[in-house]
Amino acid sequence: MREYLDRPAHPGPPWKIVGIQLDLARHMETVEYINQYADFAAAHGFNTLVLYLEGRVRTESFPFRSQAESYSLREMERVVGHARELGMEVVPVVPALGHCEQFVRCRQLRHLAEERGGRGRWKWSSSRSTFCPSLEETYQFLERYYTELAEVFAGPWWHVGLDESWNLGLCPLCRRRWRSAGLGSIFTEHLRRLHKIVAKLGRRTWIWNDMLELFPDELQRVPRDVVLCHWEYADDPISPEGIQAHLANHRRWDWLRMYEQQGLDAVICPGGPFPLQNQNVELFTDYARRHRVLGGVLTQWEGSPRRQVENPVLVAMTGRLWKRTVFDPARAWRDALEAVLPEAPAPLRQAAGEVLRLASARVGFTRRVLSEMAQPFFDGRPTRQERLEGAALQAALAWYRRERRMHPGAGCDAAIRGRLEWAARLTLFRWGLREFIPLVYDPARPSADQGTVARRAKALRKEFSWLARELRRNNRVEAGWCTPGDREDFDAWRALAGDLQALWDRARRVPSRRDWLLILRLFVPDVCGWPTLKVSVRFGNTRKGVLETSHVGVPRGRIGGHYDLFIPFASKRAPDGVVLEGYGYGRQGVCFVEAKNASARLVPAALEAVHGPVTQAAAVL
């Protein structure tokens, strides 16, 4: 076993960098709102504003995006100038490898895409999303664009992204380099080229750290002044002893200590779009305070903080946690609630805090959440843990309502007023759907259950109507803030209403022999892989696609990597076979397949054909 020296003691926060990030690439905000968000962050101790931009800024060398979907340099000048008045540095994040779809999907830059010869490795990156690091023109474009942006973003830091670049090595030029020098070498050479461009502008380079976890030997070749932005949005994988790798079989290493040994500075970046953000902040901070780091950046992804009811409290809590030497998350949370709800009595603040922990940790108003609700398949009823969380949320919501009735005149911050109950009820609505959908699509459901189905459908429809009505009311209040990102969110909500109408129609009738349910027993052998699975049913020589989806590692609540998918489809005749196609990052395991309707249950008679790389074929079915 490898021997480690005792970790040297480092003082905890306060840190040099106390940063907060806005994701403007996925949800465009107005300049006025960005400045107001900076005001709020600065008031709670933040000194750095990180703007995740991708290709959101138009310049002379990159004029290819419309005014409606991009900012001008003059607009960014207003943001930078306002932040300067607050004493905040602004860090632009302009990715230069993966997450570059806003660049390489423009007709004028398509020839610079790594995927110019075919689709990518992951479903969500199947079209152009990556700059090719083997084309000299890539660096010529990036240097021109960075130079133009640097006239506005004059601070000392410059973030070039480089995260989640899973399509690296796809083009013929990169494949040849991969065979001769290795994929890690391509990545590091690209970083070194970018580092020279950024250094020429007088800035210090930041990158996300996850790709270097795949190539740890390349750390020795990373320029010593590069700052590694260390992120991990799960909760359990973070401990004082180390933190797991991203999508790399969950190797748990003390990454910050490795960076210290290599003489590299790091910034921790908790938050993310996943559940339990406040716990992620607490655990990540506890881990980082045992090391030498420059500071932290609270990341925000997708959607708008205006639609994330927990965001003000999360920001206020993180600012306090990072500005104090004593690590006390409970105190930081209480102080944050008091700061955001200053006029509310203590019991009302406590009740609101419990609803926030349980509701907003599960729901932010984003397209991702809506798409999860509208998926044409389902993975079963809520787990025992989810049922307990639902019961706790119902109790917390009842407590909050009672306190509001007891203190009708109590003030409530505008960022939370009207949204707390909406977030809680949306969470409970989702769990209600998880209970309801399996019942509706069960082809063996007795006709005697139709009354129960009708009553539950009526209750869910009533709740959805309330959610939609409150959303419209809040939208009217914020009409002046409507941005392209807002419009996309509201379009997604309207699409969800159409998807749910199909569910209500299906609930009105008793299952017939045309109604089939395909049940897949699956597992993810790589634990942290992200395979995409395409499912079709076969009738003679004809295929009918019924599903194409991907799961990130082990779905929450599942044990040992196993999970089920239930896929409804309609057919007058029984299917002759099932076709499963897997691709992407990591392997897809298949344990069993069955199909059933009101009068029949079909199981495989044989494995007809296998194509492509297969491991442990004896375990299939």
Side-chain angles (χ1 to χ4, degrees):
M1 298 181 68
R2 182 178 298 177
E3 180 181 357
Y4 285 96
L5 300 175
D6 289 337
R7 182 185 294 112
H10 291 291
W15 290 322
K16 178 179 180 180
I17 295 172
V18 181
I20 189 166
Q21 175 185 279
L22 264 178
D23 183 356
L24 302 177
R26 280 64 175 270
H27 192 107
M28 191 174 175
E29 303 283 3
T30 65
V31 170
E32 289 75 18
Y33 175 74
I34 298 171
N35 289 341
Q36 288 189 14
Y37 197 73
D39 291 339
F40 181 80
H44 292 283
F46 290 86
N47 60 22
T48 304
L49 177 64
V50 180
L51 300 180
Y52 185 80
L53 296 170
E54 293 188 8
R56 276 293 187 200
V57 183
R58 303 186 309 279
T59 68
E60 185 176 341
S61 67
F62 183 61
F64 310 126
R65 306 196 72 198
S66 69
Q67 293 185 17
E69 60 183 4
S70 61
Y71 301 102
S72 67
L73 286 173
R74 185 176 296 275
E75 287 175 312
M76 287 294 99
E77 281 180 351
R78 291 169 54 194
V79 172
V80 173
H82 184 77
R84 188 183 301 116
E85 293 174 357
L86 297 170
M88 301 182 78
E89 294 285 359
V90 178
V91 183
V93 186
V94 187
L97 191 58
H99 291 297
C100 293
E101 53 269 20
Q102 293 185 3
F103 295 108
V104 296
R105 291 182 190 175
C106 294
R107 177 180 54 82
Q108 298 85 349
L109 297 178
R110 288 176 185 172
H111 61 289
L112 300 183
E114 182 76 352
E115 306 88 352
R116 58 193 182 276
R119 76 178 185 183
R121 293 188 175 94
W122 287 13
K123 177 185 176 183
W124 57 261
S125 62
S126 57
S127 60
R128 294 175 176 86
S129 64
T130 309
F131 271 121
C132 176
S134 295
L135 295 173
E136 190 63 28
E137 192 177 346
T138 293
Y139 301 103
Q140 294 171 357
F141 167 76
L142 289 170
E143 183 167 3
R144 288 195 303 271
Y145 188 59
Y146 280 9
T147 301
E148 291 167 334
L149 293 179
E151 293 295 321
V152 172
F153 297 101
W157 316 108
W158 197 276
H159 203 312
V160 298
L162 305 190
D163 60 315
E164 297 181 329
S165 302
W166 310 115
N167 288 340
L168 180 63
L170 280 183
C171 85
L173 296 175
C174 290
R175 281 200 296 270
R176 285 197 293 270
R177 293 176 62 191
W178 186 351
R179 287 192 293 267
S180 63
L183 194 60
S185 175
I186 300 176
F187 178 85
T188 310
E189 285 302 315
H190 184 61
L191 168 58
R192 293 169 72 92
R193 289 288 302 271
L194 296 171
H195 175 264
K196 289 181 180 180
I197 294 172
V198 174
K200 186 177 177 181
L201 298 173
R203 312 295 197 272
R204 189 173 176 186
T205 303
W206 289 19
I207 69 170
W208 303 113
N209 73 312
D210 53 294
M211 292 297 289
L212 283 169
E213 293 174 355
L214 293 178
F215 317 118
D217 293 339
E218 294 293 321
L219 278 172
Q220 301 175 12
R221 300 181 58 223
V222 172
R224 297 299 93 179
D225 64 337
V226 167
V227 177
L228 300 177
C229 296
H230 189 17
W231 65 277
E232 169 56 74
Y233 298 142
D235 47 343
D236 297 337
I238 305 173
S239 72
E241 292 72 39
I243 187 169
Q244 74 179 22
H246 300 86
L247 301 173
N249 286 315
H250 284 191
R251 292 175 295 184
R252 186 188 292 272
W253 288 354
D254 193 342
W255 299 99
L256 288 180
R257 188 168 188 272
M258 289 179 61
Y259 302 152
E260 287 180 36
Q261 292 173 333
Q262 293 287 338
L264 294 165
D265 286 327
V267 172
I268 65 165
C269 301
F274 298 110
L276 303 175
Q277 293 178 340
N278 60 319
Q279 183 173 344
N280 182 265
V281 171
E282 292 176 17
L283 294 176
F284 220 140
T285 304
D286 188 29
Y287 168 50
R289 70 192 179 97
R290 304 161 193 270
H291 298 76
R292 185 187 68 249
V293 297
L294 291 179
V297 174
L298 177 63
T299 60
Q300 175 268 330
W301 299 104
E302 300 189 16
S304 171
R306 291 179 284 107
R307 310 235 181 270
Q308 298 164 358
V309 67
E310 80 283 4
N311 186 268
V313 180
L314 182 66
V315 171
M317 182 200 80
T318 305
R320 283 157 176 75
L321 199 62
W322 289 354
K323 296 297 286 186
R324 295 170 177 168
T325 302
V326 177
F327 179 71
D328 191 344
R331 178 188 170 192
W333 176 259
R334 290 194 303 271
D335 290 349
L337 283 171
E338 185 172 358
V340 175
L341 303 173
E343 300 179 18
L348 179 57
R349 285 201 303 269
Q350 293 171 5
E354 289 307 304
V355 175
L356 282 172
R357 288 181 188 274
L358 293 164
S360 56
R362 289 283 181 183
V363 175
F365 189 82
T366 67
R367 292 182 296 280
R368 174 175 297 182
V369 169
L370 295 177
S371 65
E372 287 175 356
M373 292 169 63
Q375 284 171 339
F377 67 97
F378 47 91
D379 54 4
R381 294 177 173 84
T383 64
R384 180 176 182 273
Q385 179 65 28
E386 289 173 326
R387 291 176 185 274
L388 292 174
E389 290 176 0
L393 176 55
Q394 287 179 323
L397 182 58
W399 179 20
Y400 173 74
R401 288 169 172 167
R402 183 172 63 251
E403 292 299 326
R404 287 298 302 269
R405 288 194 299 270
M406 293 176 64
H407 305 282
C412 193
D413 187 88
I416 290 182
R417 183 174 59 250
R419 296 202 178 280
L420 194 61
E421 182 163 347
W422 190 88
R425 290 174 67 167
L426 178 58
T427 306
L428 294 171
F429 177 77
R430 290 181 66 201
W431 287 340
L433 283 181
R434 284 280 306 279
E435 293 270 3
F436 183 64
I437 291 175
L439 177 64
V440 170
Y441 285 101
D442 181 2
R445 170 164 53 87
S447 58
D449 290 351
Q450 192 61 27
T452 301
V453 171
R455 285 191 297 273
R456 295 180 68 175
K458 181 179 180 180
L460 285 169
R461 292 187 69 175
K462 181 179 179 181
E463 187 67 2
F464 181 76
S465 296
W466 182 89
L467 291 167
R469 186 170 60 253
E470 286 297 298
L471 182 64
R472 288 192 298 270
R473 186 178 67 82
N474 288 330
N475 183 36
R476 284 196 298 272
V477 171
E478 299 179 350
W481 292 114
C482 195
T483 68
D486 292 325
R487 287 190 287 272
E488 291 177 9
D489 282 345
F490 294 123
D491 287 345
W493 185 268
R494 283 190 288 269
L496 173 63
D499 292 331
L500 290 176
Q501 185 59 51
L503 177 63
W504 312 139
D505 293 341
R506 177 67 180 81
R508 289 193 183 98
R509 61 180 180 83
V510 176
S512 69
R513 292 188 178 184
R514 290 174 51 91
D515 298 312
W516 289 85
L517 189 65
L518 185 65
I519 304 173
L520 306 181
R521 317 287 183 186
L522 306 168
F523 70 101
V524 182
D526 298 301
V527 180
C528 205
W530 196 332
T532 294
L533 180 66
K534 183 177 180 180
V535 183
S536 306
V537 289
R538 182 175 59 80
F539 303 93
N541 295 324
T542 303
R543 293 186 186 182
K544 176 182 180 181
V546 293
L547 175 68
E548 186 169 9
T549 187
S550 58
H551 277 261
V552 185
V554 184
R556 287 190 176 276
R558 305 301 187 257
I559 299 175
H562 291 79
Y563 65 101
D564 298 342
L565 287 182
F566 301 77
I567 310 168
F569 66 97
S571 174
K572 293 181 180 180
R573 54 170 288 192
D576 298 313
V578 177
V579 181
L580 306 177
E581 301 172 79
Y583 62 91
Y585 185 82
R587 298 171 294 171
Q588 175 66 71
V590 180
C591 300
F592 195 71
V593 179
E594 65 177 282
K596 65 179 184 178
N597 69 355
S599 59
R601 176 174 176 268
L602 308 178
V603 296
L607 190 63
E608 293 186 352
V610 177
H611 303 282
V614 176
T615 60
Q616 298 175 294
V620 177
L621 303 182

